Amino acid sequence: MVTTNSNEWGYNEMKRLFCLIALFCCFAFFAKPAFATEEIIRFHSDIRIQKDSSVLVTENITVQSEGRKIKRGIYRDFPIRYRDDDGRHFRIGFRLLAVSRDGHAEPYHVVNSENGKRIYIGDKDTFIPHGTHQYQLTYQTHRVVSFLDDMDELYWNVTGNDWDFSIREASAALFLPDGASISRHYAYTGHRGSRERSYSAYWDPVSSALSVEAARRLGPQEGLTIAAGFPKGIVTQPDVWQQLKLRIAENLLFAGTVLYVVLLFCYLFTLWVAIGRDPDGGTVIPEFVPPDNFSPALISYIRNMGLGHSDKREAFSAAVINLAVKGVLKIEQSKKNHYKLVKDKGEIPGLPPGEAYIAYRMFRHNNSFTISKTYNSKFVSILEGFVDAIEGEYAHTYFLKNSKYVTISFVVSALAIGLMGYNATSNPAIGPQSFGLICATVLLHFMFYYLMKAPTMYGREKMDRIEGFRLYLKTAEKSRLDFLHPPEMTPELFEKYLPYAVVLGVENKWVKYFKKSLPREEQDSYHPRWYSSSYGDKHPSVSQISSNLSKGLSSTLSHAAQAPSSSGGGGGFSGGGGFSGGGFGGGGGGGW
């Protein structure tokens, strides 16, 4: 029978356990590199402010690569688009000068990112060895020095707050031009927006450098930011011209639209000088009859170079009065804004185109036509046909609209207006300016559309004669025209020229002339056979008749031509300090 000593058995078991623990420790020791963490071991930046206010930066980034995220190398993001205190967008300069890994030049490529530049360091077809690698980037930037009232300042995000990795050590050295000194400084650590000041710093007067180092390890998305102020005059502030060039460079689309508006004005102005400028007028002398026996409507058409929105109503009113004077119709007024046009003789030979059209359309099927403040679609049709009849007969004879040139320009400008609208929405800070450019573009086209109209030489002569006839109608002092032997004022002459006075805007002067020329008894006995009124005085005065037939009738025509509109409803009704992630620079990076 074999027996074992219990003490010996316990000793052997302990020996085996010890061997297993030793083997596990050895395995863990030698296996450690395979499970090492990818991180930034050290991030150091040398920041050198230049005399011209540009900044030269050299970043030394030492990383631990394990082939997980860092396979081919790392990438570095650098923001270049910012917004100032007034909300305006601007860009800072960025020029990459050199890239290396472990002391040797390294391939890289730069792509545009949402907010700036992304630098991919490494070759897409080459994986780097696992282990420690030191990357160095050198770049130059400008527009990052702030020129304050009492000092100048660099507010710089050293590491950036968008790294995928933790940063074991973060530091920076800020160098000023020779002999310069720092007035004050701060540094901030932590996530973006943090005001934590976990850092140490010292000033080296020999090298004019401020050294700053984070006092703790920085986790992913944490960074180091410094702010340093120094006396004014150490660096050169860009002058107004340089700032203007920079503003233009960073807002090329806006600058382009401004240039477009300037060129548009030059183009339209040149066209106006070439083809839209009115010929010089001749001497205006009083004339006692309408030139070439023109109708009141034609005189309005020539004088205004067209029949616009209000001109056509006045011309129509004058044409109706002229038809009444000729005996074609009678005007019966029963209310303030209620006129009944009753057929008298009807159409007569020799009527001018506009008046002939009115007589034909109004009395084609009925012997009367009523006009009131109520919208009348038939009247609108007659009014538009009246204008077409005049333009069809006399277009291109007395003036040229030249509108095709402005129309072509407006089609091109529609694209520019679209770009202005896009610029206003994408960059709200210059939204008001962009809206102003849109208004200026539209206003230029409306203005030159009007200005481009120009009388022909034949039309210019007729305009001068029309002004001479107007001079006669508006001269209320009879004695001033006696030496020219004007025709004697009679009720027949008064009503014959009343439609002309209406379109020429001198009906009150013509009435005043009539009153001064005739005795009181003759004035009171004047009652035109072609006009009657049951509104107001039973026997209206000459002034009342003139007012009812000019302003009253024109106002009624305006309402009759205005379509009723549907109504709708509705209604509507420098900074507070630094922080981590603030300032220029920054960005972040990762592996690829």
Side-chain angles (χ1 to χ4, degrees):
M1 180 177 181
V2 179
T3 60
T4 58
N5 188 300
S6 59
N7 291 333
E8 182 180 351
W9 182 88
Y11 171 77
N12 290 333
E13 289 300 317
M14 290 293 293
K15 188 176 180 180
R16 284 195 197 95
L17 182 60
F18 176 77
C19 290
L20 286 173
I21 293 173
L23 182 62
F24 177 80
C25 290
C26 291
F27 176 78
F29 176 79
F30 289 108
K32 183 178 179 180
F35 297 101
T37 301
E38 287 188 327
E39 64 176 349
I40 297 175
I41 299 172
R42 179 169 175 77
F43 191 117
H44 178 78
S45 182
D46 286 328
I47 307 160
R48 301 179 184 276
I49 301 177
Q50 310 296 301
K51 289 285 293 182
D52 63 357
S53 76
S54 65
V55 176
L56 183 66
V57 181
T58 300
E59 294 181 348
N60 289 282
I61 307 171
T62 304
V63 303
Q64 176 68 38
S65 168
E66 295 299 328
R68 290 190 290 276
K69 289 187 175 181
I70 304 176
K71 299 176 181 179
R72 303 167 183 82
I74 65 171
Y75 64 83
R76 178 77 167 97
D77 289 331
F78 191 86
I80 62 173
R81 297 181 182 89
Y82 293 88
R83 183 178 295 180
D84 63 16
D85 293 338
D86 296 324
R88 291 190 298 263
H89 291 266
F90 70 98
R91 298 160 61 99
I92 66 172
F94 177 80
R95 186 162 64 99
L96 185 61
L97 302 176
V99 176
S100 67
R101 176 173 65 87
D102 298 331
H104 302 285
E106 183 76 350
Y108 68 90
H109 63 279
V110 181
V111 299
N112 292 323
S113 63
E114 182 179 358
N115 194 42
K117 303 289 184 181
R118 172 169 287 189
I119 306 162
Y120 286 95
I121 306 173
D123 189 330
K124 66 182 180 65
D125 298 321
T126 304
F127 286 1
I128 62 174
H130 295 188
T132 302
H133 298 279
Q134 182 177 356
Y135 290 91
Q136 185 179 85
L137 293 84
T138 301
Y139 55 86
Q140 188 175 34
T141 181
H142 62 267
R143 296 194 76 189
V144 295
V145 174
S146 300
F147 298 94
L148 309 179
D149 293 336
D150 56 341
M151 65 177 180
D152 298 333
E153 180 190 62
L154 177 66
Y155 187 21
W156 187 258
N157 189 340
V158 176
T159 60
N161 289 65
D162 295 317
W163 281 98
D164 292 336
F165 314 117
S166 62
I167 304 174
R168 193 184 302 176
E169 297 178 7
S171 61
L174 175 61
F175 296 86
L176 297 180
D178 293 341
S181 60
I182 294 289
S183 302
R184 65 184 183 188
H185 69 272
Y186 297 101
Y188 307 93
T189 53
H191 289 93
R192 187 182 307 278
S194 170
R195 295 181 182 274
E196 177 190 74
R197 297 181 183 179
S198 180
Y199 73 96
S200 61
Y202 67 92
W203 168 254
D204 183 357
V206 177
S207 59
S208 295
L210 172 69
S211 295
V212 178
E213 184 171 359
R216 66 173 180 84
R217 183 190 189 99
L218 301 176
Q221 316 305 318
E222 290 189 320
L224 170 66
T225 298
I226 61 174
F230 44 91
K232 300 189 71 66
I234 294 175
V235 299
T236 303
Q237 182 173 357
D239 58 28
V240 175
W241 175 242
Q242 290 173 318
Q243 293 182 48
L244 178 61
K245 289 194 294 184
L246 290 171
R247 287 285 185 189
I248 292 175
E250 68 200 17
N251 291 289
L252 287 177
L253 181 58
F254 179 74
T257 53
V258 171
L259 179 61
Y260 176 80
V261 173
V262 174
L263 293 177
L264 175 66
F265 172 78
C266 294
Y267 166 74
L268 293 175
F269 182 78
T270 302
L271 276 180
W272 175 74
V273 171
I275 61 176
R277 202 169 182 179
D278 293 0
D280 293 335
T283 303
V284 176
I285 58 175
E287 295 205 16
F288 306 119
V289 294
D292 296 347
N293 201 31
F294 287 161
S295 69
L298 180 57
I299 281 183
S300 176
Y301 177 73
I302 296 173
R303 186 168 185 263
N304 297 305
M305 290 192 287
L307 293 176
H309 187 65
S310 59
D311 299 330
K312 62 184 178 183
R313 294 195 303 270
E314 289 184 354
F316 193 93
S317 298
V320 168
I321 299 171
N322 207 37
L323 287 171
V325 172
K326 292 176 180 178
V328 174
L329 56 85
K330 292 182 177 180
I331 303 173
E332 297 178 359
Q333 184 178 9
S334 58
K335 298 177 183 178
K336 181 178 181 181
N337 295 108
H338 193 282
Y339 296 84
K340 185 177 182 180
L341 308 181
V342 181
K343 182 179 178 180
D344 190 2
K345 298 178 183 178
E347 290 186 75
I348 60 175
L351 287 177
E355 294 178 7
Y357 182 83
I358 293 174
Y360 169 73
R361 283 294 307 277
M362 280 190 175
F363 307 125
R364 180 171 50 175
H365 301 298
N366 299 289
N367 290 328
S368 66
F369 188 87
T370 301
I371 301 174
S372 66
K373 293 183 70 174
T374 305
Y375 172 71
N376 189 326
S377 59
K378 184 178 179 181
F379 164 70
V380 173
S381 176
I382 295 174
L383 178 62
E384 296 302 326
F386 163 75
V387 174
D388 291 342
I390 295 175
E391 289 186 337
E393 184 75 18
Y394 303 111
H396 311 300
T397 302
Y398 301 103
F399 63 90
L400 300 174
K401 292 185 177 180
N402 298 315
S403 58
K404 63 181 179 180
Y405 301 101
V406 180
T407 303
I408 293 172
S409 171
F410 190 79
V411 171
V412 176
S413 294
L415 176 60
I417 290 173
L419 291 175
M420 294 173 196
Y422 168 78
N423 202 29
T425 55
S426 62
N427 193 351
I430 58 173
Q433 294 91 325
S434 297
F435 180 73
L437 289 176
I438 292 174
C439 293
T441 302
V442 174
L443 181 63
L444 281 174
H445 283 93
F446 275 110
M447 181 176 71
F448 278 96
Y449 185 87
Y450 172 78
L451 292 176
M452 207 63 74
K453 294 179 183 179
T456 61
M457 294 303 296
Y458 178 70
R460 178 72 265 175
E461 180 216 342
K462 301 306 177 188
M463 287 181 176
D464 293 339
R465 294 185 60 192
I466 288 171
E467 290 306 309
F469 183 52
R470 182 175 185 271
L471 181 63
Y472 160 60
L473 295 178
K474 77 172 185 177
T475 304
E477 299 298 330
K478 184 175 180 296
S479 58
R480 293 177 57 187
L481 298 177
D482 282 346
F483 72 98
L484 294 174
H485 307 291
E488 183 180 358
M489 174 60 77
T490 63
E492 292 75 21
L493 182 70
F494 168 75
E495 61 185 33
K496 179 181 180 180
Y497 288 162
L498 179 61
Y500 295 93
V502 169
V503 295
L504 292 173
V506 294
E507 64 272 19
N508 292 334
K509 297 280 188 181
W510 184 239
V511 169
K512 189 175 182 180
Y513 189 7
F514 176 78
K515 289 181 176 181
K516 284 182 175 289
S517 302
L518 295 180
R520 181 72 183 184
E521 318 79 72
E522 196 169 348
Q523 295 179 39
D524 293 340
S525 64
Y526 172 69
H527 303 296
R529 60 168 294 277
W530 44 267
Y531 172 77
S532 62
S533 174
S534 58
Y535 161 74
D537 294 340
K538 185 175 182 179
H539 300 293
S541 66
V542 175
S543 298
Q544 290 173 323
I545 294 173
S546 173
S547 177
N548 291 343
L549 292 177
S550 56
K551 294 182 175 61
L553 181 57
S554 179
S555 174
T556 303
L557 294 178
S558 177
H559 286 89
Q562 183 67 44
S565 59
S566 58
S567 61
F573 303 83
S574 162
F579 53 85
S580 177
F584 297 101
W592 71 296

